[in-house]
Amino acid sequence: MWIPSSLAEVEATIQATWGETPDLVVCRLNVRQLKKDVVLLYLDSLADKNSINNNVLQPLLFETHDATNVEEVAVLIGQKKYTNLWSEVETAVFQGESVLFIDGEQQALLLDTQGWPQRAIAEPQVESSIKGAHQGFIETSGKNIALIRRYLPNRELKVKELVVGRRGKTKVALLYLEDVTHPEVLKELEDRIRMIDVDAVVNTGELMQLIEDNPFSPFPQFLLTERPDAAVSNLLQGRIVVVVDRSPSVMIAPMSFIAFFQTIDDYSTRWMIATFLRLLRTLAFFIAIFLPSLYIAAISFHYELLPLNLILTVGESREQVPLPPILEAILMELAIEMLREAGLRLPAPIGQTVGIVGGVVIGQAAVQAGLVSNIMVVVVAITAIGSFIIPNPDMSESVRLIRFPMMIVSSLFGVIGMAIGLMILVIHLACLESLGTPFGSPFAPVRFRDWKDTVVRFPLWTMRSRPLSAHPIQLKRQTKTRK
């Protein structure tokens, strides 16, 4: 639909389009510049009223120079554009812009007066850091892109903007280094986003689920982060950062499995300490998945493998427990999961109290009532701590989910069931892809050169190449700085 030339028709179209919109402002003025009437349209809840008053209304009312058309109107707005399509007017109004219609003109002036409510840049709530920056992304894509540009003021940093959603019209920006990122990977990601046909994408998590390679995998195939320094670190490796408007986190693609166990602090500390912490996280991953299963298998099938003193201790602990090990383990694991979820949903001070007091009280009461053994409480506690050590929340949730089928197979087949479960897990990770690239890299396929930055971290001056898992077109990262 084209913009009507008559202001009467414009006002009638506005009334038909936004009939029940109490925060819509329609202001009709007589402009001295044009010697004509104009209509200024904006949403009071999304526009900056100070900017409209000082930079739009005052020049329109008091500027005396003559103007013959919409393009000669003097307003003090740096970013403005023209349109003759009513659909673009609707989109602009809902994005906080002001629209100026001039009597007799089939063209409207779109003014950048955005001023919706937004929070200040603050420290990330989930990904805390000791030596890293204390700035996190917010819900405005423009400011998130600005945070990334502060770290990477380079002309090769490109921003490609897309719009997703028929109703929501969510802005999605793809950030990448043009001389590093592989164009085929970029095209694959762009094509997947363009194929999305939904009403709206509310946050980055929804977008991630709509474009992932294997929606039935328990593992996350893209990384979500709320840290600008982590996003820039991945950009320099040749990956792509996806910024979704109205979401406080960005998505990074493609990713590898081992990247979910790395943090930005790993590169701010000495390589020996970083290596120790990564090995600790890897050990915590296996403990969080297999420790309850190992307990069930040892008690149910392979008790002869335990030392005699430990067998006596376990037997004494389980003497009054009426439940089999699998039910005992599932009962305690479900209790821990419920306490964890309750702690997240409640206000912060109350949530911490519920988590601590609830865990102590329920564990002690369960042991005294004879429902579970002391050993089981210790096993569940160590398992919970292991899942907390995993730095990425999505990977931690996946580990918590995988733990339950592992306990079931170990209760049926013992250690053999655990071995089968581990084999299935390894095969699945080897076959999984992230944006068409191997998720198991650099272990499947084997790329020895990339092992310098996996479960161990070599000194920074030895890592002169970008990881092949990101498919960069420029492999060399830095020159040798030590002899």
Side-chain angles (χ1 to χ4, degrees):
M1 177 181 172
W2 302 102
I3 295 174
S5 59
S6 168
L7 285 188
E9 294 180 20
V10 167
E11 290 175 331
T13 307
I14 291 173
Q15 182 62 30
T17 306
W18 291 284
E20 301 293 333
T21 311
D23 57 339
L24 185 73
V25 177
V26 183
C27 183
R28 185 159 183 162
L29 309 166
N30 184 268
V31 179
R32 298 171 66 183
Q33 303 175 35
L34 293 164
K35 299 179 177 62
K36 293 180 180 179
D37 285 351
V38 301
V39 167
L40 182 65
L41 174 69
Y42 63 92
L43 280 171
D44 182 64
S45 57
L46 296 179
D48 184 355
K49 286 175 281 189
N50 290 329
S51 177
I52 293 173
N53 291 332
N54 298 330
N55 303 328
V56 179
L57 290 178
Q58 286 191 17
L60 288 177
L61 293 174
F62 301 112
E63 189 68 37
T64 57
H65 88 276
D66 293 335
T68 58
N69 56 46
V70 66
E71 298 182 3
E72 297 179 5
V73 174
V75 290
L76 304 178
I77 297 291
Q79 187 175 349
K80 56 185 179 180
K81 52 187 177 181
Y82 309 94
T83 183
N84 52 11
L85 295 175
W86 190 260
S87 59
E88 293 186 4
V89 170
E90 290 184 29
T91 302
V93 169
F94 284 119
Q95 290 178 352
E97 298 181 16
S98 300
V99 183
L100 186 68
F101 302 94
I102 299 177
D103 194 19
E105 296 275 347
Q106 282 191 304
Q107 197 175 27
L109 180 61
L110 309 182
L111 306 171
D112 184 15
T113 57
Q114 297 170 342
W116 53 75
Q118 55 184 303
R119 65 184 176 96
I121 295 172
E123 188 170 355
Q125 297 296 315
V126 178
E127 299 174 77
S128 59
S129 173
I130 298 173
K131 294 186 176 181
H134 295 277
Q135 289 182 325
F137 291 121
I138 61 172
E139 289 78 7
T140 306
S141 62
K143 290 193 174 181
N144 292 343
I145 294 173
L147 287 172
I148 293 175
R149 285 195 182 278
R150 281 200 63 203
Y151 281 92
L152 208 57
N154 189 282
R155 66 180 182 182
E156 297 296 338
L157 178 61
K158 305 299 181 182
V159 181
K160 184 173 290 189
E161 199 167 85
L162 309 173
V163 177
V164 178
R166 294 191 176 187
R167 296 179 184 272
K169 305 290 184 184
T170 305
K171 288 183 179 180
V172 178
L174 308 182
L175 279 71
Y176 61 96
L177 290 173
E178 191 174 33
D179 61 337
V180 177
T181 303
H182 201 290
E184 291 185 5
V185 176
L186 176 65
K187 185 178 183 304
E188 175 68 21
L189 178 59
E190 185 179 351
D191 290 344
R192 291 190 189 186
I193 294 176
R194 290 187 185 277
M195 289 173 62
I196 296 175
D197 186 15
V198 293
D199 282 342
V201 173
V202 178
N203 53 48
T204 313
E206 289 187 8
L207 180 73
M208 181 177 69
Q209 296 176 64
L210 291 169
I211 64 172
E212 61 186 357
D213 295 68
N214 187 350
F216 299 103
S217 172
F219 296 105
Q221 291 138 58
F222 302 116
L223 179 67
L224 294 183
T225 182
E226 53 183 358
R227 300 190 60 87
D229 48 2
V232 170
S233 177
N234 283 278
L235 276 172
L236 293 171
Q237 294 178 10
R239 296 187 169 95
I240 305 166
V241 172
V242 182
V243 180
V244 179
D245 196 22
R246 304 187 290 270
S247 180
S249 59
V250 303
M251 186 186 81
I252 301 172
M255 291 306 298
S256 62
F257 173 75
I258 200 64
F260 289 89
F261 298 87
Q262 301 170 352
T263 67
I264 196 67
D265 278 343
D266 292 348
Y267 303 97
S268 304
T269 56
R270 295 182 57 79
W271 67 272
M272 290 178 287
I273 299 173
T275 298
F276 169 74
L277 293 175
R278 288 188 179 184
L279 291 171
L280 186 65
R281 294 178 200 133
T282 306
L283 176 64
F285 170 77
F286 288 103
I287 287 176
I289 292 180
F290 294 108
L291 185 59
S293 306
L294 185 61
Y295 169 81
I296 294 169
I299 298 299
S300 303
F301 295 94
H302 310 288
Y303 52 85
E304 70 277 0
L305 299 177
L306 301 176
L308 180 59
N309 292 335
L310 183 57
I311 292 177
L312 294 175
T313 303
V314 172
E316 183 181 353
S317 175
R318 286 191 48 81
E319 185 179 1
Q320 302 297 327
V321 177
L323 301 175
I326 178 62
L327 293 182
E328 181 187 13
I330 289 179
L331 177 65
M332 288 302 297
E333 289 292 344
L334 289 177
I336 289 293
E337 293 299 325
M338 287 190 289
L339 283 172
R340 191 199 312 252
E341 193 67 16
L344 288 174
R345 304 305 165 199
L346 290 170
I350 303 175
Q352 293 175 2
T353 304
V354 168
I356 297 171
V357 177
V360 173
V361 171
I362 290 178
Q364 184 67 25
V367 171
Q368 290 181 353
L371 295 177
V372 296
S373 63
N374 292 326
I375 302 294
M376 186 70 247
V377 174
V378 174
V379 167
V380 169
I382 295 175
T383 303
I385 293 171
S387 64
F388 289 145
I389 293 175
I390 299 173
N392 184 267
D394 292 330
M395 182 59 71
S396 178
E397 291 169 358
S398 300
V399 167
R400 287 155 52 192
L401 178 64
I402 295 169
R403 184 187 308 150
F404 288 95
M406 283 294 179
M407 288 192 295
I408 294 172
V409 296
S410 67
S411 69
L412 297 175
F413 307 106
V415 173
I416 302 298
M418 290 179 59
I420 293 173
L422 178 61
M423 290 171 59
I424 293 173
L425 252 162
V426 171
I427 293 171
H428 175 70
L429 287 171
C431 297
L432 199 59
E433 292 185 340
S434 173
L435 210 63
T437 64
F439 188 68
S441 179
F443 301 108
V446 177
R447 292 164 174 164
F448 290 108
R449 188 177 66 179
D450 288 353
W451 284 21
K452 297 178 181 179
D453 190 20
T454 51
V455 292
V456 297
R457 204 218 81 190
F458 279 40
L460 292 176
W461 54 269
T462 65
M463 297 187 291
R464 298 190 295 271
S465 300
R466 294 183 172 88
L468 293 173
S469 60
H471 285 274
I473 55 177
Q474 186 184 102
L475 291 176
K476 193 173 184 181
R477 175 155 47 185
Q478 64 183 42
T479 57
K480 189 174 182 180
T481 57
R482 292 177 66 97
K483 295 182 180 180

